[in-house]
Amino acid sequence: MGSSEEVRAGGVRLPQLGLDELLTELQARLDAARGTQDRVHSLLEAVLSVGRELDLEQALRGIVEAAAALVDAEYAALGVIGSDGRRLSAFITVGVGEEEIARIGPYPQGHGILGELIRHPEPLRLSKLSEHAASYGFPPGHPPMNSFLGVPIRVRDQVFGNLYLTEKRGGRQFDEDDESLLSTLAVAAGVAIDNARLYEESRLRERWLAASAEITSSLMSGADQHEVLGLIAERARDITGAALATLAIPVQDTGTLAVELAIGRGAEAHRGLLLPVEGTLTGAAFALGASVSSPDVARDERISAGPPRFAGLGPAVAVPIGREDRVRGVVLLAREAGAGDFSDKETVPLKGFAAQAALAMELAERRRDAEQIALLEDRDRIARDLHDLAIQRLFATGMTLQSAGRFIEHTQASERVLRAVDDLDETIRIIRSTIFGLRTHDGDGAPGLRARAVRVAGEATPVLGFAPSVRMEGLLDTHVPPEIADHVVAVLSESLTNIARHAQADRADVALGTDGNEVRLTVTDNGVGVPAGGRRSGLRNMTERARGLGGDMELVRPEDGGTRLVWHAPLPRTTRASRS
């Protein structure tokens, strides 16, 4: 018999201790293989999960969640690199609650370790974050983090962003297997992001095509120009996710742009505003005949003209309407502060939309020209018929009555016939005057009230030392007759002159508008106000102008200082009736 340390197997004597070690090692290898198989299975599940989602935002969140589960990390984040290639434009987190995020404050921009991966897009694994030379520290309220694993995500050979994993559960460290798994997931994430982007772009193209078809249909159905332009601004705002959309057109011979349309956040501050070409984003796009963008329109140094009106807004783009050599207007779109910049993929269809706006204006002009020609032709026909038919018949009737009057012996009857002949002569004179009026073109080419008011404001700028803000609303050139427009211009000139002489102001706002029933002029400044006992001859003259037209003028001193002059006058009934 052998010793207890040996056993017989197939006639061969094997040491008992060696077999136990062999079985233990085999079990360990089986466990390792099973663990590897489980991790590979988890990796495949993660790859499949991130590949299912076509919505980009949901796809990004799914990638972060899959990464955290794959390497057993407590915290995970995905930082999207901005267009400048140096900062993070978006930051998606897993493991940090809403209250913790609120305490920490704004999302990181790409400093410290996060910036290290942006500068050097290679996998980075650390046992302790604070020991790295690029460590930037954590803001107050940030949870403690030590172990770290970061890998870049590439989309078509370009770095889209980085995956950041911290605090492996159980106090363990991230190892080479974790790095390998996460790098593999990053490749799948790049493919998923690319697919989501392509899907998003195709959906965006669909929306632009649908909107273009809607606008084309409106144009072909003969919709009003203002209605079509409003539709263009509204659709552009919806599709680009803008908070504000404005549309400005040039005011003839004034070097300014009038904001005809404003939709969205703070629209009232823009609607009717007259903007100089210099000192505004809209003016820059008009002057260059090309798109002009701003990462933060509320703080853009180029926007120096006009009252503050972009509070709470951030990225903006202004796109000219029409050809470079003939810009008919400018569309301005602005997003909420903190939103993403307008990309080239967004501005290209915007230019197509602007071309639609140019087409709307072109068709509206041609339609107006055609209507004017038809009107003039109709007037010529009426005048010709009146001259050739009505006047000749009336003249013949008058001659007949005059001849017949000689044969009437009754005195009173003869006098009545002669009076009828005189009435016919007066009727012929009235018809001839009407014919002359029909054949005289409307207007004499004189500038309208809008252009005259802009010119007065411009002429007052050197005297004031600053450019007054001008806002106009309503059909001023159509509803306000020339005789009342003369009074409005005189009052505006006198008001700005008074501000320059007496107010000691550094800001003046002019608002001129009409609703078809009255014309109203408001001039406001932030000066010292009207002194008690001061000369008031100018104010008296302006009041007499208003009351002579059936209106009035009020002078108000707002609580925050300065002076507000309100001058208003009713419009003639004939002008109001012409609106219908």
PDB file of all heavy atoms in Angstrom, residues 277 283-292 320 324 327:
ATOM      1  N   VAL A 277     -27.580 100.988 -39.896  1.00  0.00           N
ATOM      2  CA  VAL A 277     -26.800  99.890 -40.478  1.00  0.00           C
ATOM      3  C   VAL A 277     -25.562  99.632 -39.641  1.00  0.00           C
ATOM      4  O   VAL A 277     -25.154  98.486 -39.443  1.00  0.00           O
ATOM      5  CB  VAL A 277     -26.433 100.224 -41.941  1.00  0.00           C
ATOM      6  CG1 VAL A 277     -25.469  99.188 -42.497  1.00  0.00           C
ATOM      7  CG2 VAL A 277     -27.695 100.271 -42.796  1.00  0.00           C
ATOM      8  N   GLY A 283     -27.795  95.213 -39.201  1.00  0.00           N
ATOM      9  CA  GLY A 283     -27.168  96.132 -40.147  1.00  0.00           C
ATOM     10  C   GLY A 283     -25.911  95.560 -40.759  1.00  0.00           C
ATOM     11  O   GLY A 283     -25.626  95.785 -41.944  1.00  0.00           O
ATOM     12  N   ALA A 284     -25.135  94.816 -39.963  1.00  0.00           N
ATOM     13  CA  ALA A 284     -23.898  94.215 -40.486  1.00  0.00           C
ATOM     14  C   ALA A 284     -24.220  93.205 -41.590  1.00  0.00           C
ATOM     15  O   ALA A 284     -23.547  93.165 -42.622  1.00  0.00           O
ATOM     16  CB  ALA A 284     -23.129  93.544 -39.353  1.00  0.00           C
ATOM     17  N   ALA A 285     -25.248  92.377 -41.390  1.00  0.00           N
ATOM     18  CA  ALA A 285     -25.639  91.411 -42.421  1.00  0.00           C
ATOM     19  C   ALA A 285     -26.148  92.128 -43.670  1.00  0.00           C
ATOM     20  O   ALA A 285     -25.892  91.695 -44.794  1.00  0.00           O
ATOM     21  CB  ALA A 285     -26.713  90.473 -41.869  1.00  0.00           C
ATOM     22  N   PHE A 286     -26.846  93.243 -43.466  1.00  0.00           N
ATOM     23  CA  PHE A 286     -27.356  94.012 -44.610  1.00  0.00           C
ATOM     24  C   PHE A 286     -26.208  94.628 -45.404  1.00  0.00           C
ATOM     25  O   PHE A 286     -26.188  94.570 -46.643  1.00  0.00           O
ATOM     26  CB  PHE A 286     -28.293  95.115 -44.105  1.00  0.00           C
ATOM     27  CG  PHE A 286     -28.842  95.991 -45.184  1.00  0.00           C
ATOM     28  CD1 PHE A 286     -29.913  95.583 -45.950  1.00  0.00           C
ATOM     29  CD2 PHE A 286     -28.285  97.236 -45.437  1.00  0.00           C
ATOM     30  CE1 PHE A 286     -30.431  96.389 -46.955  1.00  0.00           C
ATOM     31  CE2 PHE A 286     -28.786  98.049 -46.442  1.00  0.00           C
ATOM     32  CZ  PHE A 286     -29.866  97.625 -47.198  1.00  0.00           C
ATOM     33  N   ALA A 287     -25.228  95.203 -44.697  1.00  0.00           N
ATOM     34  CA  ALA A 287     -24.114  95.873 -45.373  1.00  0.00           C
ATOM     35  C   ALA A 287     -23.219  94.872 -46.101  1.00  0.00           C
ATOM     36  O   ALA A 287     -22.753  95.137 -47.218  1.00  0.00           O
ATOM     37  CB  ALA A 287     -23.302  96.671 -44.361  1.00  0.00           C
ATOM     38  N   LEU A 288     -22.982  93.718 -45.487  1.00  0.00           N
ATOM     39  CA  LEU A 288     -22.084  92.724 -46.088  1.00  0.00           C
ATOM     40  C   LEU A 288     -22.790  91.868 -47.142  1.00  0.00           C
ATOM     41  O   LEU A 288     -22.132  91.291 -48.016  1.00  0.00           O
ATOM     42  CB  LEU A 288     -21.515  91.813 -44.998  1.00  0.00           C
ATOM     43  CG  LEU A 288     -20.589  92.478 -43.972  1.00  0.00           C
ATOM     44  CD1 LEU A 288     -20.262  91.501 -42.855  1.00  0.00           C
ATOM     45  CD2 LEU A 288     -19.310  92.968 -44.641  1.00  0.00           C
ATOM     46  N   GLY A 289     -24.099  91.757 -47.034  1.00  0.00           N
ATOM     47  CA  GLY A 289     -24.816  90.851 -47.928  1.00  0.00           C
ATOM     48  C   GLY A 289     -24.502  89.399 -47.637  1.00  0.00           C
ATOM     49  O   GLY A 289     -24.585  88.540 -48.517  1.00  0.00           O
ATOM     50  N   ALA A 290     -24.120  89.093 -46.381  1.00  0.00           N
ATOM     51  CA  ALA A 290     -23.745  87.736 -45.982  1.00  0.00           C
ATOM     52  C   ALA A 290     -24.184  87.508 -44.536  1.00  0.00           C
ATOM     53  O   ALA A 290     -24.449  88.455 -43.790  1.00  0.00           O
ATOM     54  CB  ALA A 290     -22.240  87.527 -46.118  1.00  0.00           C
ATOM     55  N   SER A 291     -24.261  86.230 -44.138  1.00  0.00           N
ATOM     56  CA  SER A 291     -24.674  85.879 -42.776  1.00  0.00           C
ATOM     57  C   SER A 291     -23.658  86.376 -41.760  1.00  0.00           C
ATOM     58  O   SER A 291     -22.450  86.309 -41.982  1.00  0.00           O
ATOM     59  CB  SER A 291     -24.846  84.366 -42.649  1.00  0.00           C
ATOM     60  OG  SER A 291     -25.782  83.886 -43.570  1.00  0.00           O
ATOM     61  N   VAL A 292     -24.156  86.856 -40.625  1.00  0.00           N
ATOM     62  CA  VAL A 292     -23.312  87.318 -39.526  1.00  0.00           C
ATOM     63  C   VAL A 292     -23.850  86.674 -38.248  1.00  0.00           C
ATOM     64  O   VAL A 292     -25.051  86.707 -37.995  1.00  0.00           O
ATOM     65  CB  VAL A 292     -23.341  88.851 -39.385  1.00  0.00           C
ATOM     66  CG1 VAL A 292     -22.468  89.296 -38.226  1.00  0.00           C
ATOM     67  CG2 VAL A 292     -22.873  89.511 -40.674  1.00  0.00           C
ATOM     68  N   PRO A 320     -29.102  87.752 -44.601  1.00  0.00           N
ATOM     69  CA  PRO A 320     -29.693  88.718 -45.534  1.00  0.00           C
ATOM     70  C   PRO A 320     -30.712  88.064 -46.456  1.00  0.00           C
ATOM     71  O   PRO A 320     -30.604  86.889 -46.795  1.00  0.00           O
ATOM     72  CB  PRO A 320     -28.483  89.235 -46.315  1.00  0.00           C
ATOM     73  CG  PRO A 320     -27.482  88.127 -46.247  1.00  0.00           C
ATOM     74  CD  PRO A 320     -27.690  87.462 -44.912  1.00  0.00           C
ATOM     75  N   GLU A 324     -26.577  89.421 -53.027  1.00  0.00           N
ATOM     76  CA  GLU A 324     -25.560  90.246 -52.376  1.00  0.00           C
ATOM     77  C   GLU A 324     -25.612  91.687 -52.866  1.00  0.00           C
ATOM     78  O   GLU A 324     -25.380  92.623 -52.095  1.00  0.00           O
ATOM     79  CB  GLU A 324     -24.170  89.650 -52.640  1.00  0.00           C
ATOM     80  CG  GLU A 324     -23.059  90.363 -51.903  1.00  0.00           C
ATOM     81  CD  GLU A 324     -21.721  89.679 -52.110  1.00  0.00           C
ATOM     82  OE1 GLU A 324     -21.715  88.528 -52.595  1.00  0.00           O
ATOM     83  OE2 GLU A 324     -20.696  90.298 -51.790  1.00  0.00           O
ATOM     84  N   VAL A 327     -29.892  93.519 -51.361  1.00  0.00           N
ATOM     85  CA  VAL A 327     -30.426  92.953 -50.125  1.00  0.00           C
ATOM     86  C   VAL A 327     -31.737  93.656 -49.808  1.00  0.00           C
ATOM     87  O   VAL A 327     -31.778  94.875 -49.653  1.00  0.00           O
ATOM     88  CB  VAL A 327     -29.426  93.119 -48.969  1.00  0.00           C
ATOM     89  CG1 VAL A 327     -30.014  92.563 -47.683  1.00  0.00           C
ATOM     90  CG2 VAL A 327     -28.122  92.409 -49.301  1.00  0.00           C
TER      91      VAL A 327
END
